[in-house]
Amino acid sequence: RDMPLGENQGSSSRKDAIKGVLETVGKCFGPFHFTYGFRELALYALCLGAGSLDPTDSGDLKFIYEGSSAFSALPTFATLPGLAVMGAIPAIPWPSTLHGEHMLVLDKPLKVSDSLVTTATVLNVYDKVSGAVVVLETRTSNSSGDKVAINRSSLFLKGLGGFGGPSGPPSSLPPSLAALPDFSLRQPTPKNLALLYRLSSGDLNPIHVDPEAAQRIQYPRPILHGICTLGVAVRAIIRLVCANDPNRLRSVRCRFSRHVFPGETLVTQVWIDREGKTEIPKKIKPEKTTEAVERGLDEGKKAEAENKQKRGVGEGEEG
């Protein structure tokens, strides 16, 4: 079950596998129910590094201490409710599936406790020759019936390409910027982060915990969840340019271009659009190695001048 299709299986098995994946296009899965409270929010924030450098930092306590008058949910917590779909689409070989791109659109801020309902739809399957890309969209509503978030993931299924399908549209992410970033933040990650994040998020893909599963897809050891890396980047953006207000972030898109191993130090770099637009291209990378999350797009309320004045945050380490 954990073996990547296409590497040690015959062509008939691959054909059957991709046929099953193609048959999911247009189908709706769910509803999936997800209930959370302060414990889930706090554990999630801890996994993204909140409180790791200074456990008394009020900017982090608002995400991990329920007694804080400003207690809030980090916006990327809205990526978690749709993870239940992993058990609902057996045609997708989840243990050998890699997260390629992700988009999160927030319709309204998350409450500090709620019961959410999510549905999922497979929008398309693209042929990348070396594998197939499944575009999966989830839509989440809260207990009042209000729309909360839309998540759209591009999932790479190694070994299932070459079936003659469309290759898909080119990425529309903004280009990388050559100039020095306006802000930069370093975030060390603990070596057991993937073990903690899988329990906090519910993403139990064995490539993040089982060395043998990771080696079957050519990684020397378990890798960090891409969506965890995105959460680290978004937390940095909120702190650096959104006055630590999670409600300023409206949407974010990214491509996961390189893997990250737990224990590496992640560096988030932010550029401010000088034309008054709300786009903030960014990248996050393992220190002294390669980019992991590249050319993202954050559409929060622009707060560069406000933050420089109120927080005095510039390039350098957090805290």
Side-chain angles (χ1 to χ4, degrees):
R1 176 171 172 264
D2 293 349
M3 183 180 295
L5 291 167
E7 295 190 2
N8 293 294
Q9 298 189 28
S11 59
S12 60
S13 296
R14 291 196 297 272
K15 289 180 180 178
D16 290 342
I18 191 58
K19 179 182 178 182
V21 173
L22 291 171
E23 289 175 349
T24 66
V25 176
K27 291 186 177 180
C28 185
F29 300 87
F32 307 103
H33 298 272
F34 182 87
T35 299
Y36 69 91
F38 78 88
R39 288 183 178 84
E40 288 75 20
L41 294 180
L43 287 172
Y44 177 76
L46 289 170
C47 285
L48 300 187
S52 62
L53 298 180
D54 181 1
T56 65
D57 184 347
S58 60
D60 280 346
L61 282 176
K62 68 180 292 184
F63 300 115
I64 55 181
Y65 175 43
E66 72 282 3
S68 169
S69 59
F71 185 63
S72 305
L74 283 165
T76 49
F77 186 82
T79 62
L80 305 191
L83 289 175
V85 72
M86 292 179 66
I89 311 180
I92 295 179
W94 296 104
S96 59
T97 295
L98 297 174
H99 204 158
E101 295 187 9
H102 196 88
M103 178 186 74
L104 168 65
V105 178
L106 296 160
D107 291 296
K108 64 186 312 176
L110 292 167
K111 301 176 182 178
V112 296
S113 64
D114 208 345
S115 294
L116 305 178
V117 179
T118 299
T119 57
T121 305
V122 177
L123 299 182
N124 221 321
V125 178
Y126 296 121
D127 188 350
K128 299 298 184 180
V129 183
S130 62
V133 170
V134 174
V135 181
L136 178 67
E137 181 177 277
T138 63
R139 292 177 177 264
T140 300
S141 300
N142 63 19
S143 55
S144 301
D146 299 323
K147 295 179 181 178
V148 172
I150 298 173
N151 285 273
R152 184 174 296 180
S153 301
S154 294
L155 309 173
F156 185 73
L157 280 55
K158 187 175 182 180
L160 292 189
F163 56 90
S167 61
S171 174
S172 60
L173 294 177
S176 298
L177 301 181
L180 292 176
D182 293 280
F183 302 103
S184 181
L185 188 147
R186 297 174 64 254
Q187 177 62 59
T189 64
K191 291 184 177 181
N192 65 347
L193 180 54
L195 306 181
L196 298 172
Y197 187 82
R198 67 188 297 270
L199 299 178
S200 171
S201 68
D203 185 345
L204 304 181
N205 192 325
I207 66 173
H208 304 298
V209 62
D210 185 346
E212 292 184 359
Q215 290 166 11
R216 279 195 286 270
I217 55 172
Q218 284 75 58
Y219 290 113
R221 59 185 185 275
I223 60 174
L224 186 60
H225 305 68
I227 205 71
C228 176
T229 311
L230 174 61
V232 171
V234 168
R235 172 176 165 265
I237 289 171
I238 291 170
R239 187 176 183 91
L240 293 174
V241 296
C242 294
N244 210 38
D245 181 359
N247 297 335
R248 292 187 178 221
L249 187 126
R250 303 296 178 80
S251 70
V252 61
R253 287 189 297 153
C254 76
R255 175 187 292 117
F256 303 109
S257 60
R258 296 290 187 275
H259 60 272
V260 174
F261 291 116
E264 292 183 309
T265 294
L266 298 174
V267 181
T268 304
Q269 297 175 328
V270 181
W271 288 262
I272 304 297
D273 189 310
R274 301 302 178 187
E275 298 179 358
K277 298 178 182 179
T278 55
E279 296 179 358
I280 305 175
K282 61 150 191 343
K283 63 181 178 181
I284 180 169
K285 58 185 179 180
E287 192 170 46
K288 297 181 181 179
T289 56
T290 55
E291 293 184 5
V293 177
E294 68 173 1
R295 298 193 299 171
L297 174 65
D298 167 54
E299 297 176 354
K301 297 179 182 178
K302 189 175 179 183
E304 175 193 16
E306 177 182 341
N307 283 307
K308 285 184 176 179
Q309 179 179 359
K310 291 185 176 181
R311 293 177 52 83
V313 177
E315 187 171 351
E317 293 189 14
E318 180 180 4

PDB file of all heavy atoms in Angstrom, residues 134-172:
ATOM      1  N   VAL A 134      -3.295  15.918  -9.197  1.00  0.00           N
ATOM      2  CA  VAL A 134      -4.711  15.994  -8.853  1.00  0.00           C
ATOM      3  C   VAL A 134      -4.987  17.346  -8.205  1.00  0.00           C
ATOM      4  O   VAL A 134      -4.303  17.731  -7.255  1.00  0.00           O
ATOM      5  CB  VAL A 134      -5.110  14.868  -7.874  1.00  0.00           C
ATOM      6  CG1 VAL A 134      -6.558  15.038  -7.409  1.00  0.00           C
ATOM      7  CG2 VAL A 134      -4.923  13.511  -8.530  1.00  0.00           C
ATOM      8  N   VAL A 135      -5.947  18.082  -8.737  1.00  0.00           N
ATOM      9  CA  VAL A 135      -6.337  19.369  -8.164  1.00  0.00           C
ATOM     10  C   VAL A 135      -7.590  19.126  -7.310  1.00  0.00           C
ATOM     11  O   VAL A 135      -8.646  18.772  -7.824  1.00  0.00           O
ATOM     12  CB  VAL A 135      -6.625  20.418  -9.246  1.00  0.00           C
ATOM     13  CG1 VAL A 135      -7.000  21.752  -8.590  1.00  0.00           C
ATOM     14  CG2 VAL A 135      -5.411  20.593 -10.147  1.00  0.00           C
ATOM     15  N   LEU A 136      -7.415  19.297  -6.021  1.00  0.00           N
ATOM     16  CA  LEU A 136      -8.470  19.003  -5.050  1.00  0.00           C
ATOM     17  C   LEU A 136      -8.890  20.283  -4.343  1.00  0.00           C
ATOM     18  O   LEU A 136      -8.051  21.018  -3.831  1.00  0.00           O
ATOM     19  CB  LEU A 136      -7.957  17.987  -4.022  1.00  0.00           C
ATOM     20  CG  LEU A 136      -8.910  17.582  -2.899  1.00  0.00           C
ATOM     21  CD1 LEU A 136     -10.090  16.791  -3.453  1.00  0.00           C
ATOM     22  CD2 LEU A 136      -8.170  16.752  -1.859  1.00  0.00           C
ATOM     23  N   GLU A 137     -10.186  20.550  -4.310  1.00  0.00           N
ATOM     24  CA  GLU A 137     -10.689  21.752  -3.648  1.00  0.00           C
ATOM     25  C   GLU A 137     -11.621  21.370  -2.505  1.00  0.00           C
ATOM     26  O   GLU A 137     -12.478  20.496  -2.654  1.00  0.00           O
ATOM     27  CB  GLU A 137     -11.450  22.638  -4.643  1.00  0.00           C
ATOM     28  CG  GLU A 137     -11.994  23.926  -4.009  1.00  0.00           C
ATOM     29  CD  GLU A 137     -12.673  24.826  -5.027  1.00  0.00           C
ATOM     30  OE1 GLU A 137     -11.959  25.589  -5.713  1.00  0.00           O
ATOM     31  OE2 GLU A 137     -13.916  24.750  -5.136  1.00  0.00           O
ATOM     32  N   THR A 138     -11.429  22.019  -1.362  1.00  0.00           N
ATOM     33  CA  THR A 138     -12.334  21.827  -0.225  1.00  0.00           C
ATOM     34  C   THR A 138     -12.951  23.162   0.146  1.00  0.00           C
ATOM     35  O   THR A 138     -12.315  24.208   0.049  1.00  0.00           O
ATOM     36  CB  THR A 138     -11.599  21.249   0.995  1.00  0.00           C
ATOM     37  OG1 THR A 138     -10.602  22.172   1.445  1.00  0.00           O
ATOM     38  CG2 THR A 138     -10.947  19.913   0.671  1.00  0.00           C
ATOM     39  N   ARG A 139     -14.223  23.124   0.557  1.00  0.00           N
ATOM     40  CA  ARG A 139     -14.944  24.319   0.993  1.00  0.00           C
ATOM     41  C   ARG A 139     -15.473  24.067   2.398  1.00  0.00           C
ATOM     42  O   ARG A 139     -16.111  23.032   2.641  1.00  0.00           O
ATOM     43  CB  ARG A 139     -16.083  24.655   0.030  1.00  0.00           C
ATOM     44  CG  ARG A 139     -15.573  25.109  -1.344  1.00  0.00           C
ATOM     45  CD  ARG A 139     -16.692  25.366  -2.341  1.00  0.00           C
ATOM     46  NE  ARG A 139     -16.163  25.872  -3.602  1.00  0.00           N
ATOM     47  CZ  ARG A 139     -16.099  27.158  -3.928  1.00  0.00           C
ATOM     48  NH1 ARG A 139     -16.575  28.074  -3.088  1.00  0.00           N
ATOM     49  NH2 ARG A 139     -15.602  27.540  -5.092  1.00  0.00           N
ATOM     50  N   THR A 140     -15.207  25.009   3.286  1.00  0.00           N
ATOM     51  CA  THR A 140     -15.515  24.834   4.701  1.00  0.00           C
ATOM     52  C   THR A 140     -16.464  25.925   5.187  1.00  0.00           C
ATOM     53  O   THR A 140     -16.266  27.101   4.893  1.00  0.00           O
ATOM     54  CB  THR A 140     -14.223  24.861   5.541  1.00  0.00           C
ATOM     55  OG1 THR A 140     -13.364  23.796   5.106  1.00  0.00           O
ATOM     56  CG2 THR A 140     -14.523  24.682   7.020  1.00  0.00           C
ATOM     57  N   SER A 141     -17.475  25.512   5.944  1.00  0.00           N
ATOM     58  CA  SER A 141     -18.430  26.436   6.555  1.00  0.00           C
ATOM     59  C   SER A 141     -18.437  26.227   8.062  1.00  0.00           C
ATOM     60  O   SER A 141     -18.070  25.152   8.554  1.00  0.00           O
ATOM     61  CB  SER A 141     -19.843  26.210   5.999  1.00  0.00           C
ATOM     62  OG  SER A 141     -19.871  26.403   4.597  1.00  0.00           O
ATOM     63  N   ASN A 142     -18.862  27.251   8.807  1.00  0.00           N
ATOM     64  CA  ASN A 142     -18.893  27.131  10.267  1.00  0.00           C
ATOM     65  C   ASN A 142     -20.261  26.682  10.755  1.00  0.00           C
ATOM     66  O   ASN A 142     -21.162  26.386   9.956  1.00  0.00           O
ATOM     67  CB  ASN A 142     -18.459  28.445  10.927  1.00  0.00           C
ATOM     68  CG  ASN A 142     -19.397  29.600  10.610  1.00  0.00           C
ATOM     69  OD1 ASN A 142     -20.544  29.414  10.193  1.00  0.00           O
ATOM     70  ND2 ASN A 142     -18.914  30.825  10.810  1.00  0.00           N
ATOM     71  N   SER A 143     -20.426  26.639  12.078  1.00  0.00           N
ATOM     72  CA  SER A 143     -21.661  26.129  12.674  1.00  0.00           C
ATOM     73  C   SER A 143     -22.865  27.004  12.373  1.00  0.00           C
ATOM     74  O   SER A 143     -24.012  26.565  12.499  1.00  0.00           O
ATOM     75  CB  SER A 143     -21.489  25.986  14.187  1.00  0.00           C
ATOM     76  OG  SER A 143     -21.078  27.217  14.764  1.00  0.00           O
ATOM     77  N   SER A 144     -22.625  28.248  11.979  1.00  0.00           N
ATOM     78  CA  SER A 144     -23.718  29.158  11.619  1.00  0.00           C
ATOM     79  C   SER A 144     -24.087  29.050  10.147  1.00  0.00           C
ATOM     80  O   SER A 144     -25.008  29.732   9.683  1.00  0.00           O
ATOM     81  CB  SER A 144     -23.323  30.602  11.946  1.00  0.00           C
ATOM     82  OG  SER A 144     -23.026  30.748  13.326  1.00  0.00           O
ATOM     83  N   GLY A 145     -23.341  28.229   9.411  1.00  0.00           N
ATOM     84  CA  GLY A 145     -23.596  28.087   7.995  1.00  0.00           C
ATOM     85  C   GLY A 145     -22.855  29.085   7.134  1.00  0.00           C
ATOM     86  O   GLY A 145     -23.014  29.096   5.909  1.00  0.00           O
ATOM     87  N   ASP A 146     -22.035  29.927   7.755  1.00  0.00           N
ATOM     88  CA  ASP A 146     -21.269  30.921   7.011  1.00  0.00           C
ATOM     89  C   ASP A 146     -20.044  30.268   6.360  1.00  0.00           C
ATOM     90  O   ASP A 146     -19.398  29.400   6.958  1.00  0.00           O
ATOM     91  CB  ASP A 146     -20.797  32.047   7.931  1.00  0.00           C
ATOM     92  CG  ASP A 146     -21.953  32.791   8.564  1.00  0.00           C
ATOM     93  OD1 ASP A 146     -22.971  32.985   7.885  1.00  0.00           O
ATOM     94  OD2 ASP A 146     -21.837  33.163   9.756  1.00  0.00           O
ATOM     95  N   LYS A 147     -19.715  30.714   5.156  1.00  0.00           N
ATOM     96  CA  LYS A 147     -18.509  30.231   4.497  1.00  0.00           C
ATOM     97  C   LYS A 147     -17.283  30.729   5.250  1.00  0.00           C
ATOM     98  O   LYS A 147     -17.190  31.900   5.596  1.00  0.00           O
ATOM     99  CB  LYS A 147     -18.472  30.718   3.049  1.00  0.00           C
ATOM    100  CG  LYS A 147     -19.597  30.159   2.182  1.00  0.00           C
ATOM    101  CD  LYS A 147     -19.513  30.716   0.767  1.00  0.00           C
ATOM    102  CE  LYS A 147     -20.635  30.182  -0.105  1.00  0.00           C
ATOM    103  NZ  LYS A 147     -20.581  30.762  -1.477  1.00  0.00           N
ATOM    104  N   VAL A 148     -16.343  29.841   5.491  1.00  0.00           N
ATOM    105  CA  VAL A 148     -15.131  30.177   6.234  1.00  0.00           C
ATOM    106  C   VAL A 148     -13.904  30.178   5.333  1.00  0.00           C
ATOM    107  O   VAL A 148     -13.122  31.132   5.338  1.00  0.00           O
ATOM    108  CB  VAL A 148     -14.922  29.202   7.412  1.00  0.00           C
ATOM    109  CG1 VAL A 148     -13.557  29.431   8.055  1.00  0.00           C
ATOM    110  CG2 VAL A 148     -16.023  29.358   8.434  1.00  0.00           C
ATOM    111  N   ALA A 149     -13.714  29.111   4.553  1.00  0.00           N
ATOM    112  CA  ALA A 149     -12.469  29.003   3.799  1.00  0.00           C
ATOM    113  C   ALA A 149     -12.618  28.090   2.599  1.00  0.00           C
ATOM    114  O   ALA A 149     -13.453  27.176   2.569  1.00  0.00           O
ATOM    115  CB  ALA A 149     -11.347  28.481   4.698  1.00  0.00           C
ATOM    116  N   ILE A 150     -11.778  28.351   1.609  1.00  0.00           N
ATOM    117  CA  ILE A 150     -11.602  27.480   0.455  1.00  0.00           C
ATOM    118  C   ILE A 150     -10.137  27.084   0.405  1.00  0.00           C
ATOM    119  O   ILE A 150      -9.251  27.940   0.506  1.00  0.00           O
ATOM    120  CB  ILE A 150     -11.991  28.173  -0.868  1.00  0.00           C
ATOM    121  CG1 ILE A 150     -13.474  28.557  -0.862  1.00  0.00           C
ATOM    122  CG2 ILE A 150     -11.677  27.276  -2.061  1.00  0.00           C
ATOM    123  CD1 ILE A 150     -13.889  29.384  -2.069  1.00  0.00           C
ATOM    124  N   ASN A 151      -9.863  25.809   0.284  1.00  0.00           N
ATOM    125  CA  ASN A 151      -8.514  25.308   0.088  1.00  0.00           C
ATOM    126  C   ASN A 151      -8.441  24.600  -1.255  1.00  0.00           C
ATOM    127  O   ASN A 151      -9.339  23.835  -1.612  1.00  0.00           O
ATOM    128  CB  ASN A 151      -8.127  24.314   1.187  1.00  0.00           C
ATOM    129  CG  ASN A 151      -7.822  24.978   2.509  1.00  0.00           C
ATOM    130  OD1 ASN A 151      -6.693  25.380   2.754  1.00  0.00           O
ATOM    131  ND2 ASN A 151      -8.825  25.091   3.377  1.00  0.00           N
ATOM    132  N   ARG A 152      -7.375  24.874  -2.003  1.00  0.00           N
ATOM    133  CA  ARG A 152      -7.166  24.171  -3.269  1.00  0.00           C
ATOM    134  C   ARG A 152      -5.743  23.636  -3.286  1.00  0.00           C
ATOM    135  O   ARG A 152      -4.779  24.395  -3.186  1.00  0.00           O
ATOM    136  CB  ARG A 152      -7.406  25.091  -4.458  1.00  0.00           C
ATOM    137  CG  ARG A 152      -7.294  24.382  -5.809  1.00  0.00           C
ATOM    138  CD  ARG A 152      -7.684  25.292  -6.951  1.00  0.00           C
ATOM    139  NE  ARG A 152      -9.094  25.669  -6.864  1.00  0.00           N
ATOM    140  CZ  ARG A 152      -9.696  26.470  -7.738  1.00  0.00           C
ATOM    141  NH1 ARG A 152      -8.987  26.983  -8.742  1.00  0.00           N
ATOM    142  NH2 ARG A 152     -10.974  26.763  -7.608  1.00  0.00           N
ATOM    143  N   SER A 153      -5.623  22.323  -3.416  1.00  0.00           N
ATOM    144  CA  SER A 153      -4.323  21.659  -3.384  1.00  0.00           C
ATOM    145  C   SER A 153      -4.013  21.012  -4.718  1.00  0.00           C
ATOM    146  O   SER A 153      -4.903  20.458  -5.376  1.00  0.00           O
ATOM    147  CB  SER A 153      -4.296  20.576  -2.299  1.00  0.00           C
ATOM    148  OG  SER A 153      -4.566  21.113  -1.026  1.00  0.00           O
ATOM    149  N   SER A 154      -2.748  21.076  -5.120  1.00  0.00           N
ATOM    150  CA  SER A 154      -2.248  20.314  -6.255  1.00  0.00           C
ATOM    151  C   SER A 154      -1.402  19.185  -5.694  1.00  0.00           C
ATOM    152  O   SER A 154      -0.373  19.429  -5.050  1.00  0.00           O
ATOM    153  CB  SER A 154      -1.417  21.197  -7.189  1.00  0.00           C
ATOM    154  OG  SER A 154      -2.226  22.181  -7.801  1.00  0.00           O
ATOM    155  N   LEU A 155      -1.827  17.961  -5.933  1.00  0.00           N
ATOM    156  CA  LEU A 155      -1.191  16.783  -5.360  1.00  0.00           C
ATOM    157  C   LEU A 155      -0.475  15.997  -6.448  1.00  0.00           C
ATOM    158  O   LEU A 155      -1.077  15.659  -7.479  1.00  0.00           O
ATOM    159  CB  LEU A 155      -2.230  15.903  -4.674  1.00  0.00           C
ATOM    160  CG  LEU A 155      -3.144  16.618  -3.666  1.00  0.00           C
ATOM    161  CD1 LEU A 155      -4.240  15.671  -3.183  1.00  0.00           C
ATOM    162  CD2 LEU A 155      -2.337  17.155  -2.498  1.00  0.00           C
ATOM    163  N   PHE A 156       0.804  15.711  -6.238  1.00  0.00           N
ATOM    164  CA  PHE A 156       1.599  15.001  -7.235  1.00  0.00           C
ATOM    165  C   PHE A 156       1.614  13.519  -6.918  1.00  0.00           C
ATOM    166  O   PHE A 156       2.050  13.104  -5.835  1.00  0.00           O
ATOM    167  CB  PHE A 156       3.026  15.554  -7.269  1.00  0.00           C
ATOM    168  CG  PHE A 156       3.867  14.941  -8.349  1.00  0.00           C
ATOM    169  CD1 PHE A 156       3.666  15.280  -9.680  1.00  0.00           C
ATOM    170  CD2 PHE A 156       4.859  14.021  -8.038  1.00  0.00           C
ATOM    171  CE1 PHE A 156       4.444  14.711 -10.684  1.00  0.00           C
ATOM    172  CE2 PHE A 156       5.637  13.450  -9.034  1.00  0.00           C
ATOM    173  CZ  PHE A 156       5.425  13.794 -10.365  1.00  0.00           C
ATOM    174  N   LEU A 157       1.145  12.716  -7.883  1.00  0.00           N
ATOM    175  CA  LEU A 157       1.099  11.265  -7.740  1.00  0.00           C
ATOM    176  C   LEU A 157       2.216  10.668  -8.586  1.00  0.00           C
ATOM    177  O   LEU A 157       2.101  10.530  -9.811  1.00  0.00           O
ATOM    178  CB  LEU A 157      -0.258  10.723  -8.190  1.00  0.00           C
ATOM    179  CG  LEU A 157      -1.440  10.822  -7.217  1.00  0.00           C
ATOM    180  CD1 LEU A 157      -1.664  12.240  -6.735  1.00  0.00           C
ATOM    181  CD2 LEU A 157      -2.707  10.285  -7.860  1.00  0.00           C
ATOM    182  N   LYS A 158       3.295  10.362  -7.943  1.00  0.00           N
ATOM    183  CA  LYS A 158       4.491   9.890  -8.639  1.00  0.00           C
ATOM    184  C   LYS A 158       4.228   8.569  -9.355  1.00  0.00           C
ATOM    185  O   LYS A 158       3.639   7.640  -8.797  1.00  0.00           O
ATOM    186  CB  LYS A 158       5.631   9.726  -7.637  1.00  0.00           C
ATOM    187  CG  LYS A 158       6.971   9.404  -8.266  1.00  0.00           C
ATOM    188  CD  LYS A 158       8.063   9.374  -7.220  1.00  0.00           C
ATOM    189  CE  LYS A 158       9.419   9.096  -7.843  1.00  0.00           C
ATOM    190  NZ  LYS A 158      10.485   9.060  -6.816  1.00  0.00           N
ATOM    191  N   GLY A 159       4.670   8.495 -10.628  1.00  0.00           N
ATOM    192  CA  GLY A 159       4.570   7.255 -11.379  1.00  0.00           C
ATOM    193  C   GLY A 159       3.265   7.047 -12.105  1.00  0.00           C
ATOM    194  O   GLY A 159       3.103   6.044 -12.805  1.00  0.00           O
ATOM    195  N   LEU A 160       2.321   7.982 -11.997  1.00  0.00           N
ATOM    196  CA  LEU A 160       1.019   7.800 -12.636  1.00  0.00           C
ATOM    197  C   LEU A 160       0.828   8.710 -13.843  1.00  0.00           C
ATOM    198  O   LEU A 160      -0.292   8.932 -14.286  1.00  0.00           O
ATOM    199  CB  LEU A 160      -0.107   8.033 -11.628  1.00  0.00           C
ATOM    200  CG  LEU A 160      -0.237   6.998 -10.511  1.00  0.00           C
ATOM    201  CD1 LEU A 160      -1.508   7.225  -9.712  1.00  0.00           C
ATOM    202  CD2 LEU A 160      -0.222   5.580 -11.072  1.00  0.00           C
ATOM    203  N   GLY A 161       1.920   9.261 -14.386  1.00  0.00           N
ATOM    204  CA  GLY A 161       1.805  10.102 -15.569  1.00  0.00           C
ATOM    205  C   GLY A 161       1.879   9.300 -16.846  1.00  0.00           C
ATOM    206  O   GLY A 161       1.926   8.073 -16.841  1.00  0.00           O
ATOM    207  N   GLY A 162       1.873  10.015 -17.973  1.00  0.00           N
ATOM    208  CA  GLY A 162       1.984   9.364 -19.260  1.00  0.00           C
ATOM    209  C   GLY A 162       0.706   8.725 -19.743  1.00  0.00           C
ATOM    210  O   GLY A 162       0.733   7.826 -20.585  1.00  0.00           O
ATOM    211  N   PHE A 163      -0.458   9.192 -19.265  1.00  0.00           N
ATOM    212  CA  PHE A 163      -1.733   8.605 -19.674  1.00  0.00           C
ATOM    213  C   PHE A 163      -2.391   9.385 -20.809  1.00  0.00           C
ATOM    214  O   PHE A 163      -3.501   9.066 -21.237  1.00  0.00           O
ATOM    215  CB  PHE A 163      -2.687   8.512 -18.476  1.00  0.00           C
ATOM    216  CG  PHE A 163      -2.955   9.805 -17.777  1.00  0.00           C
ATOM    217  CD1 PHE A 163      -4.000  10.629 -18.165  1.00  0.00           C
ATOM    218  CD2 PHE A 163      -2.168  10.196 -16.708  1.00  0.00           C
ATOM    219  CE1 PHE A 163      -4.255  11.822 -17.503  1.00  0.00           C
ATOM    220  CE2 PHE A 163      -2.405  11.394 -16.042  1.00  0.00           C
ATOM    221  CZ  PHE A 163      -3.457  12.211 -16.445  1.00  0.00           C
ATOM    222  N   GLY A 164      -1.712  10.443 -21.318  1.00  0.00           N
ATOM    223  CA  GLY A 164      -2.237  11.164 -22.462  1.00  0.00           C
ATOM    224  C   GLY A 164      -3.194  12.287 -22.138  1.00  0.00           C
ATOM    225  O   GLY A 164      -3.835  12.834 -23.034  1.00  0.00           O
ATOM    226  N   GLY A 165      -3.266  12.690 -20.886  1.00  0.00           N
ATOM    227  CA  GLY A 165      -4.169  13.764 -20.501  1.00  0.00           C
ATOM    228  C   GLY A 165      -3.537  15.130 -20.682  1.00  0.00           C
ATOM    229  O   GLY A 165      -2.354  15.246 -21.024  1.00  0.00           O
ATOM    230  N   PRO A 166      -4.302  16.198 -20.455  1.00  0.00           N
ATOM    231  CA  PRO A 166      -3.755  17.557 -20.566  1.00  0.00           C
ATOM    232  C   PRO A 166      -2.694  17.800 -19.498  1.00  0.00           C
ATOM    233  O   PRO A 166      -2.757  17.242 -18.406  1.00  0.00           O
ATOM    234  CB  PRO A 166      -4.977  18.450 -20.359  1.00  0.00           C
ATOM    235  CG  PRO A 166      -5.926  17.612 -19.552  1.00  0.00           C
ATOM    236  CD  PRO A 166      -5.723  16.205 -20.035  1.00  0.00           C
ATOM    237  N   SER A 167      -1.718  18.645 -19.851  1.00  0.00           N
ATOM    238  CA  SER A 167      -0.637  18.922 -18.902  1.00  0.00           C
ATOM    239  C   SER A 167      -1.029  19.972 -17.875  1.00  0.00           C
ATOM    240  O   SER A 167      -0.341  20.138 -16.867  1.00  0.00           O
ATOM    241  CB  SER A 167       0.616  19.385 -19.644  1.00  0.00           C
ATOM    242  OG  SER A 167       0.355  20.576 -20.370  1.00  0.00           O
ATOM    243  N   GLY A 168      -2.106  20.702 -18.126  1.00  0.00           N
ATOM    244  CA  GLY A 168      -2.572  21.702 -17.171  1.00  0.00           C
ATOM    245  C   GLY A 168      -2.033  23.077 -17.473  1.00  0.00           C
ATOM    246  O   GLY A 168      -1.050  23.231 -18.213  1.00  0.00           O
ATOM    247  N   PRO A 169      -2.625  24.104 -16.892  1.00  0.00           N
ATOM    248  CA  PRO A 169      -2.198  25.479 -17.146  1.00  0.00           C
ATOM    249  C   PRO A 169      -0.888  25.786 -16.451  1.00  0.00           C
ATOM    250  O   PRO A 169      -0.554  25.171 -15.434  1.00  0.00           O
ATOM    251  CB  PRO A 169      -3.338  26.314 -16.549  1.00  0.00           C
ATOM    252  CG  PRO A 169      -3.885  25.446 -15.456  1.00  0.00           C
ATOM    253  CD  PRO A 169      -3.775  24.038 -15.965  1.00  0.00           C
ATOM    254  N   PRO A 170      -0.117  26.757 -16.977  1.00  0.00           N
ATOM    255  CA  PRO A 170       1.118  27.170 -16.294  1.00  0.00           C
ATOM    256  C   PRO A 170       0.787  27.903 -15.003  1.00  0.00           C
ATOM    257  O   PRO A 170      -0.303  28.453 -14.844  1.00  0.00           O
ATOM    258  CB  PRO A 170       1.789  28.101 -17.305  1.00  0.00           C
ATOM    259  CG  PRO A 170       0.653  28.639 -18.120  1.00  0.00           C
ATOM    260  CD  PRO A 170      -0.345  27.514 -18.210  1.00  0.00           C
ATOM    261  N   SER A 171       1.733  27.910 -14.084  1.00  0.00           N
ATOM    262  CA  SER A 171       1.516  28.593 -12.820  1.00  0.00           C
ATOM    263  C   SER A 171       1.405  30.089 -13.034  1.00  0.00           C
ATOM    264  O   SER A 171       2.089  30.668 -13.879  1.00  0.00           O
ATOM    265  CB  SER A 171       2.661  28.297 -11.855  1.00  0.00           C
ATOM    266  OG  SER A 171       2.532  29.064 -10.678  1.00  0.00           O
ATOM    267  N   SER A 172       0.528  30.732 -12.261  1.00  0.00           N
ATOM    268  CA  SER A 172       0.350  32.180 -12.353  1.00  0.00           C
ATOM    269  C   SER A 172       0.959  32.907 -11.164  1.00  0.00           C
ATOM    270  O   SER A 172       0.670  34.068 -10.925  1.00  0.00           O
ATOM    271  CB  SER A 172      -1.143  32.519 -12.437  1.00  0.00           C
ATOM    272  OG  SER A 172      -1.826  32.056 -11.281  1.00  0.00           O
TER     273      SER A 172
END
